[in-house]
Amino acid sequence: MSRPPTFTPPPGTRAYRLGTVRGEFAVHDLAPEGVPRGTVVLLPGFTGSKEDFVALLAPIAAAGYRAVAVDGRGQYESEGPSDDQSPYQQGELARDVLAQVEALGGRVHLLGHSLGGQISRAAVLLDPAPFASLTLMSSGPAQISASQQERVKLLQDGLAVLDMAQVWEAMQSLEPPEEAETGDGDGALRDRWLRHSPAQLTATGQQLRVEPDRVDELAALHLPVHVVSGASDDTWPVPLLDAMAERLSARRTIIEGADHSPNTDRPEPTAAALIAFWDEQ
């Protein structure tokens, strides 16, 4: 589970519900002074939220880009059904992304972290026209590693018989003490977890376990792609991400000192690498 350093966005950030043809989505939106050089849309990973990008918003805006971090359907502050998995199938979530981009004016730099990367890829494959570039952050070519598949299956089994509060307590009992702390020290992580839809977690967890390799399809689009990860990752091994970047003829950035979430582990060098890529597009 990602642990943002804070759940409080930087000054000047607008927190609101973005209206689209597919419903409303909670966003954090920080615009630069003057005319933006472009718009960046940031999609969180499994069990995550827009708050995972809080530490990136200010440096992105300072570089001249409008930064919009989005809670997907059924994530944290974006509503979604709790007992129907059909709205959370990957194609539906990809269409949500296209609707969000349309509402923001189109032609955006899209970034997806982990699960968000695979949803981003699906959106681009549906319609590449609205995208200036795609960044896949700690998001691999196909299904997650065998060890992570086992963890996700355990979560799915728990969600089938326990409520969200009970699952949270079970997860916390398995974590080392330092990992059980919350980002703001006030139960923010627990609150976020409780507001996720269990149907969303079950459906997207299954996607992570069975996702096919669609790298060749993406490469055929010739869209500028950036593959970013930490120096270690137990969800998709770093050599696998290296190979994916090569297949995509993509820029490859490894953030030293970071693991699966460079956006929260080491936001400053992560932001610098992202901005350098966008500046060249």
Side-chain angles (χ1 to χ4, degrees):
M1 180 180 294
S2 58
R3 288 171 170 78
T6 177
F7 270 58
T8 303
T13 302
R14 293 191 301 136
Y16 65 96
R17 303 184 70 80
L18 176 69
T20 80
V21 295
R22 291 178 62 86
E24 294 185 340
F25 299 87
V27 302
H28 284 161
D29 184 340
L30 183 59
E33 295 183 6
V35 179
R37 301 175 61 187
T39 297
V40 176
V41 175
L42 307 160
L43 305 183
F46 187 59
T47 77
S49 70
K50 62 190 179 302
E51 284 70 22
D52 294 339
F53 302 109
V54 159
L56 299 183
L57 297 180
I60 290 173
Y65 296 93
R66 179 185 179 189
V68 183
V70 184
D71 283 343
R73 184 180 304 275
Q75 283 183 319
Y76 193 27
E77 294 182 322
S78 288
E79 295 178 358
S82 61
D83 56 0
D84 179 6
Q85 295 183 36
S86 59
Y88 305 117
Q89 300 308 304
Q90 189 183 79
E92 295 302 310
L93 297 178
R95 290 179 179 87
D96 286 347
V97 174
L98 292 173
Q100 294 155 11
V101 171
E102 180 183 26
L104 292 169
R107 201 58 183 166
V108 307
H109 296 288
L110 182 63
L111 180 151
H113 172 240
S114 194
L115 171 72
Q118 297 200 329
I119 294 169
S120 296
R121 181 174 71 178
V124 168
L125 290 173
L126 279 176
D127 183 5
F131 303 104
S133 72
L134 172 64
T135 297
L136 301 173
M137 179 181 288
S138 304
S139 187
Q143 72 273 11
I144 54 178
S145 66
S147 63
Q148 290 299 310
Q149 289 184 47
E150 292 176 4
R151 288 173 63 93
V152 171
K153 179 60 164 60
L154 185 63
L155 173 60
Q156 291 175 307
D157 291 345
L159 289 169
V161 296
L162 303 172
D163 63 31
M164 290 292 283
Q166 291 171 321
V167 173
W168 172 263
E169 295 304 322
M171 291 193 305
Q172 292 301 98
S173 70
L174 298 174
E175 297 282 7
E178 65 273 13
E179 293 295 317
E181 296 297 325
T182 62
D184 283 346
D186 61 358
L189 285 177
R190 183 179 186 275
D191 178 65
R192 177 173 71 175
W193 171 262
L194 293 178
R195 295 178 69 176
H196 268 68
S197 160
Q200 189 267 357
L201 292 169
T202 300
T204 57
Q206 185 64 17
Q207 291 167 34
L208 287 169
R209 295 176 59 211
V210 301
E211 176 75 3
D213 188 322
R214 305 187 71 187
V215 174
D216 290 345
E217 293 176 67
L218 181 59
L221 298 178
H222 302 291
L223 183 73
V225 177
H226 190 188
V227 175
V228 181
S229 75
S232 63
D233 194 319
D234 62 358
T235 305
W236 286 278
V238 169
L240 191 66
L241 299 174
D242 294 339
M244 180 181 74
E246 185 172 349
R247 292 171 63 192
L248 290 168
S249 299
R251 175 176 290 202
R252 178 73 173 106
T253 299
I254 295 176
I255 305 299
E256 296 298 332
D259 295 315
H260 185 61
S261 299
N263 45 315
T264 59
D265 293 342
R266 298 206 64 205
E268 294 85 0
T270 300
L274 297 173
I275 292 162
F277 171 69
W278 295 325
D279 283 350
E280 293 181 4
Q281 307 313 314

